Amino acid sequence: MSDYFANIAPVTYGGPNTTDPMQFRHYNPAEKLGDKTMAEHLRFAVCYWHNFVWEGNDPFGGQTFDRPWFPADTMDLARQKADAAFDMFRILGVPYFCFHDHDVRPEGGTLAESHKRLNEMADYFAEKMAQGGPKLLWGTANMFSNRRYMSGASTNPDPDVFAYCASTVKACMDVTHRLGGENYVLWGGREGYETLLNTNLERELNQMGRFLSMVVDYKHKIGFKGAILIEPKPQEPTKHQYDFDVATVYGFLKRFGLEHEVKVNVEQGHAILAGHSFEHELAMARTLGIFGSIDMNRNDYQSGWDTDQFPNSPVEAAMAYYEVLMAGGFTTGGTNFDAKLRRQSLDASDLIAAHVGGMDICARGLRAAHAMIADEALEGPRRARYAGWESEAAAAMLAEGATLDGIAAQAEAANLRPVPVSGQQEKLENIVSRYI
Ligand code: XLS
Ligand code: NI
Ligand code: NI
């Protein structure tokens, strides 16, 4: 226990009319939607890094937050940080959390010392998890903050960095496995480049492919049953990130024969930076068979960088959960809040209220999505739009044996004059609004 959240009671469901900012209005964990409860559908996770590590700095100014465990450079402070974190998990009643190695332990003077500290913190977590604390949705390695990674992690020109990364990822996978983690995430971090003038793009891609193949081999070697997830992001920190978006990642996985081994963790803010909507990225992942998990946040539409704000749009959440449900819902994945406060939100209660609001937005979105699917509110019109393809003649055009010149001959003989049909976008948007 820490006293950081001492005056804050566990958050409960107050119903749609509550005006208490520390109560849920929409997230009612035990409420059933179809055959699952809201908690089972959403599988919320709180992230360690934005909440307990980030100090509120931006490019023009340093620390604004004043947390008792800062600067967290001793194991003692790391444990204080963990105490506060697990208190917050309990107050929010979230079933999962996520962390990087670097979030939870101060780096040691040697690799071995760093791993020893990570394992000590994992022991500390294990005790707390056994006392009813949340489970681990995913673990990951921070291979982007330290200057040793400035030219890449597995894509680094220096083979020593590649080897250092192997040791780091192995240690993080071991800890994730030991804590019963349900996924292991690799976000590309510095896997990209600033300028082609100094970059051998072909070599770097091959290094990254080899590294990922070895990660997959190691997963099987230790019997880790969770999913390996890549988290696409198009820019920031490097100008050209190799894991640009879902489609790019799929091409990469195909090239290295890993498309049945690795899935994606899709983040709303990253989708927007890639010039996509969140639902586009999720629909793409579902279609390609690599949908895994989501990082829930929202991005500023004007800024051009990853603002990691808490979600506040029920329409965007509805469209996202629509795709999650259409993909069959989460299996090992979940909803990780990869979201941070604004740097002026100084109070412990801001951390709680931000998550309460975010969880409510997701619950609202989920509820709308679930109802739209049950009523076929969108699938009905969508099916009608493609109904022409149900005729035998139309289906034959896509069947094995059909040829371009054969179809051309038929089209010419029938003297086809296709009649344009309304796409009805506004009517469909109105349907979505009705469900919110
Ligand atoms: C950064 C990413 C990062 C990953 C985990 O933009 O979102 O936080 O989720 O390394
Ligand atoms: Ni993320
Ligand atoms: Ni991000």
Side-chain angles (χ1 to χ4, degrees):
M1 285 287 274
S2 93
D3 49 16
Y4 191 65
F5 296 103
N7 301 319
I8 303 178
V11 179
T12 54
Y13 174 65
N17 295 324
T18 183
T19 55
D20 182 347
M22 304 298 253
Q23 270 195 329
F24 297 122
R25 294 175 62 225
H26 302 279
Y27 179 55
N28 186 6
E31 181 186 326
K32 280 220 155 171
L33 289 177
D35 55 358
K36 286 188 198 170
T37 63
M38 273 198 174
E40 288 164 345
H41 276 295
L42 292 163
R43 294 166 59 86
F44 283 130
V46 165
C47 82
Y48 221 90
W49 50 101
H50 290 318
N51 295 300
F52 308 108
V53 181
W54 181 55
E55 298 183 341
N57 50 297
D58 72 6
F60 303 94
Q63 180 178 347
T64 59
F65 300 141
D66 187 17
R67 317 279 192 220
W69 56 86
F70 285 172
D73 54 354
T74 64
M75 285 300 277
D76 223 35
L77 288 171
R79 274 185 292 268
Q80 274 188 49
K81 174 162 57 169
D83 292 345
F86 277 79
D87 282 348
M88 185 166 110
F89 304 155
R90 179 183 45 79
I91 289 168
L92 290 169
V94 285
Y96 291 101
F97 73 113
C98 301
F99 68 90
H100 302 82
D101 51 353
H102 195 59
D103 303 336
V104 302
R105 55 102 186 96
E107 187 159 314
T110 61
L111 252 179
E113 178 65 16
S114 291
H115 296 343
K116 185 168 159 276
R117 291 178 176 187
L118 178 63
N119 276 295
E120 267 175 59
M121 288 311 298
D123 293 341
Y124 199 59
F125 286 0
E127 273 172 45
K128 290 175 177 290
M129 291 165 77
Q131 293 157 15
K135 295 185 282 183
L136 180 60
L137 186 64
W138 45 266
T140 187
N142 176 330
M143 300 197 295
F144 43 90
S145 294
N146 192 288
R147 66 196 286 270
R148 78 174 67 87
Y149 303 118
M150 70 176 193
S151 311
S154 69
T155 60
N156 204 290
D158 179 354
D160 284 356
V161 177
F162 185 94
Y164 198 99
C165 291
S167 170
T168 301
V169 169
K170 177 193 173 292
C172 290
M173 288 177 77
D174 287 343
V175 156
T176 300
H177 185 37
R178 174 151 78 85
L179 293 176
E182 299 192 22
N183 306 271
Y184 185 82
V185 165
L186 297 120
W187 165 56
R190 306 270 165 195
E191 308 291 40
Y193 67 92
E194 293 300 326
T195 172
L196 264 185
L197 295 174
N198 64 12
T199 302
N200 183 336
L201 185 144
E202 187 187 2
R203 162 168 273 289
E204 294 200 358
L205 283 177
N206 284 330
Q207 285 179 205
M208 198 162 94
R210 277 305 297 145
F211 193 85
L212 187 58
S213 301
M214 289 189 276
V215 166
V216 167
D217 290 346
Y218 189 65
K219 161 192 153 150
H220 293 303
K221 193 169 184 176
I222 61 175
F224 177 62
K225 295 281 172 271
I228 303 287
L229 305 175
I230 296 241
E231 185 176 321
K233 182 172 180 179
Q235 62 207 45
E236 197 199 77
T238 74
K239 177 167 168 58
H240 299 279
Q241 291 281 134
Y242 294 132
D243 297 335
F244 190 95
D245 62 1
V246 169
T248 309
V249 167
Y250 184 74
F252 175 82
L253 295 177
K254 264 306 242 198
R255 176 157 180 244
F256 291 96
L258 296 170
E259 72 274 20
H260 302 300
E261 293 280 3
V262 178
K263 295 178 179 163
V264 282
N265 180 40
V266 187
E267 177 167 317
Q268 156 124 359
H270 300 180
I272 291 164
L273 288 174
H276 299 306
S277 65
F278 196 18
E279 61 266 29
H280 165 86
E281 286 290 82
L282 294 169
M284 190 61 88
R286 157 162 77 92
T287 301
L288 297 171
I290 55 170
F291 170 69
S293 197
I294 64 175
D295 269 9
M296 184 48 101
N297 52 31
R298 82 177 198 266
N299 216 50
D300 188 286
Y301 283 98
Q302 287 85 39
S303 70
W305 66 89
D306 192 8
T307 61
D308 287 326
Q309 291 169 259
F310 282 86
N312 74 347
S313 163
V315 175
E316 288 180 0
M319 295 321 298
Y321 285 107
Y322 192 89
E323 293 305 326
V324 170
L325 292 176
M326 292 297 283
F330 294 122
T331 52
T332 63
T335 303
N336 170 46
F337 286 103
D338 195 348
K340 62 178 183 237
L341 297 174
R342 297 307 88 192
R343 69 195 293 267
Q344 299 174 56
S345 303
L346 302 182
D347 300 339
S349 61
D350 290 320
L351 280 172
I352 307 292
H355 285 89
V356 169
M359 290 161 81
D360 261 348
I361 287 291
C362 292
R364 251 175 109 176
L366 171 74
R367 192 194 296 281
H370 193 270
M372 285 192 286
I373 290 172
D375 294 352
E376 301 209 310
L378 298 177
E379 289 319 299
R382 195 175 280 165
R383 205 166 37 238
R385 188 164 185 237
Y386 293 88
W389 283 99
E390 278 157 30
S391 81
E392 232 171 84
M397 287 198 289
L398 300 180
E400 199 69 38
T403 60
L404 193 70
D405 48 331
I407 297 171
Q410 281 171 22
E412 286 150 26
N415 190 20
L416 290 184
R417 279 177 227 207
V419 182
V421 175
S422 173
Q424 306 186 331
Q425 182 168 337
E426 296 76 9
K427 289 180 189 165
L428 294 166
E429 287 169 352
N430 296 348
I431 290 176
V432 174
S433 300
R434 184 149 56 77
Y435 278 86
I436 301 297

